[in-house]
Every structure is written in structure tokens, then in C-alpha cells.
Amino acid sequence: MAQTFEIAVFEGDGIGPEIMVPTVNILKKMAAASADYALSFTTHPAGAAYYAISGESLPQASLDAAGQADAILLSAMGLPDVRYADGTEISPQIDLRKAFNLFAGVRPVRVADGQHSPLKIPKGREIDFVLIRESTEGLFYTQGSGEVSETEARETLRITRDVSEKLFQFAFNLAQDRKVRRNGPGRVTCVDKANVFRAFAFFRSIFDETAKRFPDVVADHAYVDATALWMVQKPWDFDVLVTENMFGDILSDLGAGLMGGLGVAPSADIGLEQAVFQPCHGSAPDIAGQGKANPIAMILSGAMMLEWLGVKHDMLSLAADGQRIRQAVERVMADGVAVTADLGGAASTIDTADAVLAALDL
Ligand code: ATP
């Protein structure tokens, strides 16, 4: 009998519902064609619009349901005009990362053959690397509780041994896995600022200790500023990059830029038990309600969810379905058949999602 996986869905704000609906539709059709697994989707309230009417951004019932689900699928949350009393933005996605210890923010940066990139990619080179952003501490540690007086403001950067060890272990495991699948040479680069800050020297020392347990993977280091330069000059040299929360926040948008924009950049926040899958972009209120948001980042995030569930539950066909969705998206992008406005086309959200469905040929 097919195994059913419960998916907690957060449609969020702005373009969130517009890109979530067609993504869930694709995932449902994929599951319907499988004899091995079924997917059950339940939508839960959270986000800025919900806060505006209820005074709660992430109700306890939604948090509990997310914890009980097999995976969490989230679009985008936050609206510029809806803020907490201290002026900070509503961001339940960050609360979920903290609540479930989702320390590994996984941001694949991939430009498949024929896909547009603002960079000129030399013949024989390929952009295909994964940026892992620590997602529970670093410079986000005091988020919402930084000290501000008339004359001074302070936030705290926190690096712990426990989280760093798990993070680096995750990065080395991923590099091993990519090496086996021939996606990468088996290399992890620790991105830091160890030449200036003691906290980053500590971060790097834990990385070096972890590296000793993975002799089949090359371990090296790069400063964050140099990494920004190399991501533009020679991104094809990277395999797995692992870094602190704020550095990763910034570099992952640069990675999205290499792929053509935020509309095509997926992500996952993964812990030891639970994981959230969501696009790198925000709620894009400037284009909300117009049906022109690019759904590709959301669809690719759904594909990452299937791959993660497949590996976690040892179900090869589920993981393979995630890869099939990714390949279908890559074909659509290479063919240039349904290009949304952010990439210079005129296709609607639904046109693009339909093109992916057609490419899947279910
Ligand atoms: P956040 O801080 O919540 O991550 P942000 O300030 O980075 O949000 P976004 O909401 O991601 O901002 O939007 C940045 C720009 O990218 C906007 O002009 C938006 O319209 C565009 N954008 C983001 N996502 C998409 C998408 N899926 N399709 C088309 N355009 C998008």
C-alpha cells in the first residue's frame, strides 16, 4: 500500500498563494501517478496578513501542525507595511527555523544547459554548487531583541560548537553524496572571516576538526569577501560552500542572481528531524495579485522536498520524482517556452506551471 506523507502548507503573503497553488497541483499530480506514495496537503494560517487580522503571526496550532507533519512547504511571508510593535518585519519562517532547529539552509545554485545566466559561462564549464547557510544562530541570534539606545545599537553574533558540528557534518555528507552522483568533485569550502573575528576562527577550527572525519572530501577555506568575488568570476569552481547565517543570507541572493533572479532560486531549511522548503525570495508585494509571479523557485523547492522525503524514508521513487520535476523545470527554462516577466517574458504564473506539467508528461 502507498505510504502517505503529510505536508503542512503555509501559503503566506503577497505572491505566496499564487505560486503555492500551482506547485501543490504539480505535486498532487505527481503523487497520483505513483503507486508507492501519496501526499496529503493541509494549509495552516501564518504570516503578515494573518497577523494584521488576528494579532498572531504564527499561531501555536499552526506550529504544532508543522511539527507533526512529514515536511513543511512554505511560500513567502512578510509585508513591508505590517510590522511588529518594535518595527521589525513579520517572519514566521525564521521562527520555524528556530523552533525546529533547522540549522542547514540549503541553497542550490545551478544553471543547466541552455538556461539563462547574466554570466558568460565558458565552454565546458557548468555552474552547479550548493551554498549551505547556517540558519539558527550567527548574526541572526539576537533578531528581534537587539539593544538600541539613543546613542548605540548592538546585536550579537553567536556561533556554537554543537550547531557548527551538525552543520559541517551535513555539508560533508552532501559533498560525499554529490561526488557519488557525479554532481561535484567532493569539496567543501568553509566561508568565513577568520582573519578578523575570533568567532570565525572558532567556526573554522570546528570545520577543520570535522573535515578530518571525511578524508575522501577536500576541505578548504575562503574569506567571505573573496567568495563574493569568485562567485562572479569563477562560480564553476565551487562544489559545497558552508557559511554563517548573515553571510549566507547575502551570498544566497548573489547565487540567485547567477541563475537569472530570485524567481528561480529554491531553498530548504533542514534539521535532524524536520525541514521547511521555500523559495529564496520574499512575498514580492510589488507584483502580488497580478498573476505574473515566477512559480519556478517554489516548484523547485517542492522538488527538493520530494528528494529529501525520499532519502529520509529510503524511498527511491519519491526522490526520483523530485529529480524529474527539476529536470522538467530545466527543460522548460532551456526551451524558453513559458518565460515570466522577471526573466524578460510575458508568460503568466499558470502558463509556466502548465509548461512544467506538460514537460513532466504524467
Ligand atoms: P524578503 O526580505 O522578504 O526576502 P525581499 O526584500 O528580498 O524580500 P522580494 O519579495 O524577494 O524582496 O522581492 C525582490 C524583488 O524580486 C521584487 O521586485 C520582486 O517583484 C521580485 N521577485 C521576487 N520573487 C519573484 C518571483 N517569484 N517572480 C517574479 N519576481 C519576483
Side-chain angles (χ1 to χ4, degrees):
M1 213 180 86
Q3 184 174 351
T4 299
F5 296 100
E6 299 291 334
I7 312 299
V9 175
F10 291 93
E11 291 190 336
D13 300 305
I15 60 168
E18 295 168 48
I19 56 173
M20 180 62 88
V21 170
T23 300
V24 169
N25 181 38
I26 291 172
L27 294 170
K28 278 184 176 166
K29 292 212 159 100
M30 204 80 195
S34 168
D36 295 338
Y37 68 92
L39 299 174
S40 165
F41 296 88
T42 310
T43 302
H44 304 282
Y50 186 73
Y51 177 81
I53 52 170
S54 71
E56 281 188 297
S57 57
L58 180 60
Q60 189 61 43
S62 296
L63 185 63
D64 291 345
Q68 279 154 21
D70 291 298
I72 303 162
L73 194 59
L74 192 152
S75 52
M77 290 190 197
L79 291 170
D81 300 339
V82 184
R83 306 239 169 188
Y84 292 120
D86 68 358
T88 57
E89 271 188 45
I90 312 288
S91 44
Q93 63 276 27
I94 298 178
D95 301 332
L96 287 170
R97 287 175 203 156
K98 289 186 176 158
F100 301 128
N101 292 319
L102 309 179
F103 54 87
V106 180
R107 314 290 168 94
V109 180
R110 202 175 132 76
V111 180
D113 253 358
Q115 194 175 315
H116 167 77
S117 167
L119 290 189
K120 196 167 173 327
I121 303 172
K123 238 187 157 32
R125 303 286 199 174
E126 199 182 31
I127 299 179
D128 183 357
F129 66 90
V130 182
L131 177 72
I132 301 174
R133 161 193 178 183
E134 196 291 313
S135 297
T136 57
E137 48 182 30
L139 195 48
F140 280 66
Y141 178 63
T142 44
Q143 188 222 355
S145 60
E147 294 166 31
V148 181
S149 72
E150 278 299 311
T151 51
E152 193 177 314
R154 289 177 188 224
E155 301 278 350
T156 302
L157 180 140
R158 183 177 195 235
I159 306 279
T160 64
R161 173 172 293 279
D162 179 48
V163 171
S164 303
E165 279 174 356
K166 289 185 195 134
L167 178 78
F168 296 138
Q169 165 127 356
F170 184 94
F172 280 99
N173 284 336
L174 178 65
Q176 275 181 328
D177 187 49
R178 282 170 56 83
K179 191 176 174 182
V180 169
R181 288 193 281 130
R182 298 183 178 281
N183 284 112
R187 193 166 87 243
V188 183
T189 305
C190 177
V191 178
D192 57 44
K193 196 75 185 166
N195 51 338
V196 176
F197 296 103
R198 292 177 67 187
F200 283 110
F202 176 70
F203 188 68
R204 185 183 280 208
S205 71
I206 300 167
F207 173 81
D208 289 341
E209 281 167 30
T210 311
K212 289 188 191 133
R213 291 193 277 122
F214 295 86
D216 55 329
V217 176
V218 175
D220 58 13
H221 317 110
Y223 297 129
V224 64
D225 39 352
T227 303
L229 178 76
W230 293 333
M231 278 177 71
V232 175
Q233 287 187 336
K234 47 175 187 174
W236 32 86
D237 275 3
F238 293 127
D239 184 3
V240 175
L241 302 176
V242 61
T243 192
E244 178 270 340
N245 207 343
M246 178 63 96
F247 290 166
D249 185 31
I250 298 165
L251 290 182
S252 64
D253 270 29
L254 178 48
L258 296 180
M259 290 190 280
L262 281 168
V264 296
S267 82
D269 291 310
I270 299 180
L272 295 181
E273 297 297 330
Q274 189 51 288
V276 172
F277 298 85
Q278 69 166 126
C280 284
H281 60 74
S283 64
D286 52 336
I287 57 163
Q290 300 172 31
K292 64 180 192 186
N294 192 339
I296 283 180
M298 185 76 244
I299 295 170
L300 287 174
S301 303
M304 288 175 77
M305 181 181 79
L306 296 194
E307 287 193 60
W308 177 79
L309 280 170
V311 171
K312 185 170 186 225
H313 297 274
D314 213 6
M315 194 179 278
L316 281 181
S317 66
L318 182 50
D321 276 359
Q323 287 163 24
R324 272 177 72 196
I325 295 179
R326 184 167 48 75
Q327 285 156 2
V329 167
E330 287 176 359
R331 277 200 300 284
V332 168
M333 290 179 73
D335 292 348
V337 279
V339 181
T340 42
D342 54 318
L343 300 180
S348 69
T349 307
I350 297 301
D351 292 338
T352 304
D354 283 349
V356 174
L357 263 179
L360 276 167
D361 196 19
L362 292 168

